[in-house]
Amino acid sequence: MLSYRHAFHAGNHADVLKHFVLTLLLEHLKKKPKSFTVVDTHAGAGLYALDAGHATKLAEYEDGIARVLARIPDAPAAVAAAFAPYLGCVAELNPDYSAENPPRAYPGSPWIVFRLLRDEDRLRLFELHTTDVALLGENFRDARRQVIVGHDDGFAGLKAQLPPPSRRGLVLIDPSYELRGDYSKVVAAVEDALKRFSIGVYAIWYPQLARRDAQQLPERLKRIAGKWLHVALSVRAPSTDGVGMRGSGMFIVNPPWTLAAVLRETLPWLCETLRQDETACFTLEASLEE
């Protein structure tokens, strides 16, 4: 259960989609002066080295964030503006980045959220992996007034966080899905969370895999959500052996009304940038209430 380490995959195409959408949600929440709380149920280590350790074994960032960084200077102005908050967080960790100096570090979801929060906002992080939670605690050692790190199961821990004191909040749910039961746990967690905090924004990441559980998850979430938006990006065709992740998706419950328009404008560029073969494509759909 605790074997998964996100460091092997840091900065890949799935991270790019997840973290880009995450920053769009954060920027929307910041438009109102009232504070908000972010809960990350499966936080990981928070920061990842790309030039050492686990990330070098697969180097998935080369087909992910490295491509985006290389091509964003030539992107349309609207695309560059939408990506600016996300890429600003990446640039902070790579001040010497250039064509000759590839990115050496990548921010996970906790670090991106932390860097974009205002002083009055709060971040609650859950991580069950013993090694990663130690790294997570160290990375946020000097931010304990604003950030609380818990060595807990995020599915269980989420219950006590809702509703947040400010009655404004964003919940990111992105387990590894190593265990088949994770798919049902995600649905159950969202269903329970909506009973406790119906107006919260919920962002659920999932992998595009050959297994039926992964393929059915968006439809299962649609049945329990009121307003929702679903975005998915496939960078290649399914492998002949059915192994491996060909893409990923984000399912947003109670999405900002502006989100669909921004994604409609940026997804064609992102799909072209991250495509690994001619089958690359994206999905963008929303509920009739949206």
Side-chain angles (χ1 to χ4, degrees):
M1 178 174 67
L2 299 178
S3 61
Y4 178 83
R5 303 294 302 281
H6 189 68
F8 286 100
H9 312 287
N12 68 0
H13 58 83
D15 265 359
V16 170
L17 178 66
K18 174 171 63 178
H19 294 148
F20 173 52
V21 173
L22 177 62
T23 58
L24 294 177
L25 295 173
L26 290 167
E27 292 302 296
H28 177 81
L29 286 170
K30 287 161 58 178
K31 290 179 179 179
K32 292 185 178 180
K34 190 175 182 180
S35 65
F36 61 86
T37 298
V38 179
V39 181
D40 190 338
T41 62
H42 297 76
L47 288 169
Y48 303 96
L50 297 179
D51 60 351
H54 298 311
T56 61
K57 298 184 183 300
L58 301 176
E60 291 185 8
Y61 72 91
E62 292 179 354
D63 286 328
I65 188 59
R67 288 193 185 191
V68 173
L69 289 171
R71 300 178 188 184
I72 198 67
D74 299 319
V79 172
F83 273 86
Y86 165 43
L87 296 183
C89 294
V90 178
E92 264 192 278
L93 301 177
N94 299 278
D96 301 325
Y97 169 78
S98 68
E100 294 74 31
N101 294 305
R104 299 190 302 273
Y106 186 78
S109 303
W111 190 257
I112 289 173
V113 174
F114 174 62
R115 297 308 298 163
L116 294 180
L117 289 185
R118 304 163 301 183
D119 289 343
E120 62 268 31
D121 303 321
R122 295 294 180 264
L123 175 58
R124 185 67 165 91
L125 304 173
F126 292 99
E127 177 53 48
L128 199 52
H129 193 289
T130 303
T131 302
D132 277 353
V133 77
L135 293 170
L136 187 66
E138 181 64 23
N139 287 330
F140 289 97
R141 180 181 55 186
D142 299 325
R144 290 306 177 90
R145 185 184 69 81
Q146 192 171 22
V147 182
I148 297 176
V149 176
H151 186 192
D152 300 295
D153 174 7
F155 288 125
L158 177 60
K159 296 177 183 291
Q161 304 303 313
L162 303 177
S166 63
R167 296 302 194 271
R168 298 185 71 221
L170 165 63
V171 176
L172 174 63
I173 302 176
D174 63 335
S176 67
Y177 297 99
E178 275 198 317
L179 296 177
R180 189 167 189 169
D182 280 351
Y183 294 94
S184 292
K185 285 183 177 180
V186 165
V187 176
V190 173
E191 190 167 25
D192 179 77
L194 286 170
K195 294 175 183 176
R196 298 170 186 269
F197 184 41
S198 63
I199 61 173
V201 179
Y202 299 90
I204 301 97
W205 175 86
Y206 72 93
Q208 288 187 332
L209 302 171
R211 60 188 306 170
R212 182 174 298 180
D213 292 320
Q215 296 172 4
Q216 292 180 340
L217 183 60
E219 294 303 319
R220 295 178 68 186
L221 290 169
K222 289 176 186 178
R223 289 195 289 269
I224 63 172
K227 292 187 295 183
W228 55 264
L229 181 146
H230 174 222
V231 54
L233 175 64
S234 304
V235 299
R236 61 171 176 81
S239 59
T240 54
D241 58 6
V243 176
M245 182 174 64
R246 65 186 180 93
S248 65
M250 289 285 278
F251 191 95
I252 316 298
V253 181
N254 295 328
W257 66 272
T258 56
L259 184 59
V262 176
L263 291 174
R264 199 173 295 115
E265 192 161 22
T266 54
L267 282 173
W269 180 86
L270 185 61
C271 185
E272 179 60 28
T273 296
L274 297 181
R275 68 191 298 267
Q276 295 181 16
D277 64 30
E278 66 280 358
T279 69
C281 61
F282 64 86
T283 297
L284 180 60
E285 55 181 352
S287 61
L288 294 178
E289 295 182 55
E290 172 55 20

